[in-house]
Amino acid sequence: MGLALFRDYGVSWDEQVEHYYGVVSIKYIAKHLHPAAVQTGHEAPDLATFPDRDHGPAFEITVPIISRLLTSDSPRAYLLTRHLLIFSLSVLGTWALYRLGRAQFQDWRLGLLGATALVISPRFFAESFYNGKDIVFLALFTAAIYVLTLLLLRPTVTRALLLGLLTGLAIDVRILGLILVALTLGMLVLEAVFRPRTEVQRRRWLSIGVLYLAMAAMCTVSGWPYLWAAPLSNFLDAFQRLSRYPWLMSNFYLGEFVPSDQLPWHYSLVWILITTPVPYTAACLVGLVAWTRTLLRAGIAGLATRQNRLDLLFAGWLLGPILLVIVLKSVLYDGWRHLYFVYPALLLFGLRGVQALYRASRRQRTWRRVIVAAAVLATLEVGHTVVRMILMHPYQQVYFSFLPARVAEQYFERDYWGLAYRQGLEWILTQEAAPHISVSAPNPELIDNNTLMMSPEQRQRILHMPRQDDQYQYFMTNYRWHPQTYRDSVGQEVYSITADGIKILSVFKRR
């Protein structure tokens, strides 16, 4: 399905910037490994002066190399390659979630149910084609957690090295991959305390932990050129920058513009609630309640059971990052995408909820009808979500689980990625026969980005015109930072795109 759909999506706000960072990093690598290959006066700046040099570049380094090797040298070929690679990694994350569910519940059907739920998550489905930061990080994080469960089952050198590799890659995409280090070390300590019977076995866990840390550190430095000159100090600099990330613009939240460094504590929780299908959220809450009851009944002694220790791992994966963001008052923007990597853990607790309800229906006849009715309603709602995804294509990224379209427009961000600009530009090209068409927008980067998906002839016809010049023929907007309607001064609305009733793009033409 992905192979049939990956060409349908537009170009998101960040893609050209992220590609540029990849090129800057490749230039830095070439300059150190093969200086003669770097042309004098190459347009890419030096890494030392690049403002985003402390972002993890592993994926952005890989995409241009693969694109150059396998495709023609064109922006469209690069972008399609990029979207296909992001999708391929999302498949890896889906497979890892299936394996985790199967291993934890000893039932391939529950594993498959969890993987299916990830696919039938509209926002994640769409972003699996263009979000090269959060979806790639989610996939690597989930794969690393799966390898961690294998390592806990049977500690081998190969598994420790593979986990270190995945941890390093995750950190080289987003520095929040450090959470993997904390989760891994915590689980190794639990295994050393509750599992082995001899001092020799405890030393085995210690050696596995040291090997894992060494591999993770080596892979992190190897895949992040910014760290090469001064690994420790540059890494600490990047970490400090994460804690005070300088994105000081406003989020449209609950009908108001709120500075990104002054968000209320419930910002991420509300976004999770309104963008996750209701049956998944309900099942997760049931699963968390069931896990809490088990934990309270068994106490510390319950950690002697492998399943309980894995439940604790998944709880740390789900709740730890969310609590960390709330306590530290972290800078967030564009909804909860910075926390996307906890979503597989949410689905795993959803599977725990499904299992708990099934067992309750087998034990208590009085609850059986209620649980069966709830299961039927949940199945119908998931089916309805599938229908909505089909009708919204390719704009599933503006899915809201239960909010009416008008409420979503009035209180929350819409197409903040700007993908609808592609279809808007394509429509304009079909309406005008002139060799050049002047187009303006509040966010000109979205025009530039989405013209890259077009042929050279089509790109030459689109002339970006600053809004201040007042000489444009067409004006486009995705209502980012301007959710209200526009005055007639920008022109007459001649075309619009809606997704599930939500207006995500308007095209105005000057009289």
Side-chain angles (χ1 to χ4, degrees):
M1 184 165 57
L3 292 175
L5 300 178
F6 79 97
R7 295 179 179 84
D8 298 348
Y9 291 86
V11 184
S12 65
W13 193 299
D14 294 342
E15 287 189 78
Q16 191 169 179
V17 174
E18 291 171 352
H19 166 65
Y20 197 52
Y21 181 31
V23 172
V24 170
S25 298
I26 291 172
K27 177 185 174 182
Y28 180 87
I29 295 171
K31 186 176 180 180
H32 281 73
L33 300 182
H34 188 37
V38 181
Q39 299 177 0
T40 303
H42 191 280
E43 63 177 11
D46 290 332
L47 183 61
T49 60
F50 192 69
D52 291 332
R53 60 190 178 276
D54 50 3
H55 289 194
F59 182 72
E60 304 307 331
I61 291 173
T62 306
V63 179
I65 295 173
I66 293 178
S67 177
R68 181 61 64 92
L69 291 175
L70 301 180
T71 70
S72 61
D73 186 17
S74 73
R76 176 178 170 81
Y78 162 78
L79 287 167
L80 290 177
T81 302
R82 175 187 172 85
H83 288 189
L84 185 57
L85 288 173
I86 295 171
F87 170 73
S88 301
L89 284 171
S90 74
V91 172
L92 169 67
T94 306
W95 172 82
L97 177 59
Y98 161 72
R99 298 296 302 186
L100 281 169
R102 178 175 179 170
Q104 174 66 342
F105 303 106
Q106 297 298 306
D107 191 334
W108 67 268
R109 293 168 297 182
L110 283 175
L112 187 59
L113 181 62
T116 304
L118 179 56
V119 174
I120 308 176
S121 297
R123 289 194 174 232
F124 288 84
F125 183 88
E127 296 193 33
S128 292
F129 292 96
Y130 57 82
N131 188 342
K133 188 68 77 173
D134 307 299
I135 295 298
V136 170
F137 183 66
L138 178 153
L140 292 173
F141 201 101
T142 308
I145 292 290
Y146 172 57
V147 175
L148 172 58
T149 62
L150 296 180
L151 179 68
L152 298 176
L153 180 64
R154 184 163 60 88
T156 66
V157 171
T158 301
R159 291 176 176 180
L161 293 176
L162 180 57
L163 180 58
L165 171 64
L166 289 170
T167 300
L169 288 174
I171 295 172
D172 287 344
V173 172
R174 289 189 62 196
I175 200 170
L176 279 175
L178 286 171
I179 294 175
L180 278 171
V181 177
L183 292 176
T184 298
L185 295 182
M187 293 305 297
L188 292 180
V189 169
L190 288 180
E191 293 296 315
V193 171
F194 288 98
R195 182 175 174 181
R197 302 292 183 182
T198 66
E199 190 63 31
V200 173
Q201 290 174 309
R202 289 191 174 91
R203 286 200 297 268
R204 171 72 172 171
W205 288 111
L206 176 62
S207 62
I208 286 292
V210 171
L211 182 63
Y212 159 75
L213 287 175
M215 185 64 175
M218 184 178 67
C219 291
T220 299
V221 175
S222 299
W224 196 341
Y226 173 61
L227 304 181
W228 291 2
L232 183 58
S233 61
N234 284 355
F235 186 82
L236 292 175
D237 177 65
F239 184 79
Q240 291 173 358
R241 181 179 169 86
L242 169 71
S243 61
R244 46 180 172 80
Y245 188 68
W247 197 91
L248 301 179
M249 304 183 79
S250 297
N251 292 292
F252 186 58
Y253 178 64
L254 297 181
E256 298 179 357
F257 286 100
V258 184
S260 59
D261 60 344
Q262 299 177 27
L263 295 174
W265 66 269
H266 48 73
Y267 177 81
S268 58
L269 296 177
V270 170
W271 268 105
I272 292 172
L273 179 65
I274 63 176
T275 59
T276 301
V278 174
Y280 305 171
T281 306
C284 176
L285 292 176
V286 172
L288 286 171
V289 170
W291 169 70
T292 303
R293 290 183 60 187
T294 300
L295 192 65
L296 292 177
R297 288 176 178 177
I300 298 297
L303 294 177
T305 304
R306 180 174 183 270
Q307 185 181 57
N308 289 340
R309 293 198 297 272
L310 288 183
D311 277 340
L312 186 62
L313 168 64
F314 299 151
W317 178 7
L318 172 61
L319 302 177
I322 295 175
L323 292 175
L324 196 64
V325 162
I326 293 174
V327 171
L328 297 180
K329 299 181 179 180
S330 302
V331 171
L332 299 175
Y333 49 92
D334 298 343
W336 64 290
R337 68 181 186 88
H338 301 90
L339 289 170
Y340 275 3
F341 66 98
V342 309
Y343 190 62
L346 183 151
L347 296 178
L348 286 169
F349 272 103
L351 297 179
R352 167 71 66 202
V354 169
Q355 184 187 61
L357 291 174
Y358 175 75
R359 290 176 175 175
S361 69
R362 297 289 299 272
R363 291 194 305 266
Q364 303 177 20
R365 291 185 177 182
T366 54
W367 282 99
R368 186 173 302 171
R369 291 183 179 180
V370 175
I371 293 172
V372 169
V376 171
L377 289 175
T379 302
L380 291 174
E381 175 58 25
V382 172
H384 181 231
T385 300
V386 172
V387 173
R388 291 174 66 185
M389 290 174 67
I390 294 171
L391 296 176
M392 293 176 74
H393 184 74
Y395 305 115
Q396 298 94 346
Q397 77 275 5
V398 294
Y399 164 85
F400 289 92
S401 54
F402 57 86
L403 294 181
R406 182 173 296 181
V407 173
E409 289 180 354
Q410 291 178 348
Y411 291 97
F412 296 97
E413 297 278 11
R414 307 182 209 178
D415 181 27
Y416 48 74
W417 288 110
L419 300 182
Y421 270 71
R422 176 185 176 183
Q423 186 175 331
L425 290 169
E426 291 172 345
W427 181 86
I428 290 174
L429 288 173
T430 64
Q431 302 301 305
E432 298 286 342
H436 299 294
I437 309 168
S438 57
V439 183
S440 183
N443 312 117
E445 299 91 344
L446 295 174
I447 293 179
D448 297 336
N449 286 0
N450 282 277
T451 55
L452 296 176
M453 270 291 191
M454 301 176 179
S455 66
E457 295 76 21
Q458 290 176 317
R459 286 201 302 272
Q460 291 173 4
R461 293 185 62 200
I462 299 292
L463 298 180
H464 171 244
M465 189 73 67
R467 184 178 177 185
Q468 295 80 358
D469 289 355
D470 206 30
Q471 298 295 319
Y472 55 84
Q473 295 172 260
Y474 288 91
F475 177 82
M476 305 175 63
T477 178
N478 65 331
Y479 297 98
R480 181 79 188 269
W481 295 304
H482 192 292
Q484 63 271 28
T485 58
Y486 279 76
R487 297 175 298 175
D488 291 342
S489 59
V490 299
Q492 179 183 1
E493 186 173 5
V494 293
Y495 180 70
S496 65
I497 298 175
T498 60
D500 206 26
I502 300 172
K503 183 180 285 190
I504 60 175
L505 184 87
S506 289
V507 178
F508 300 85
K509 185 176 182 180
R510 298 295 296 270
R511 295 184 179 88

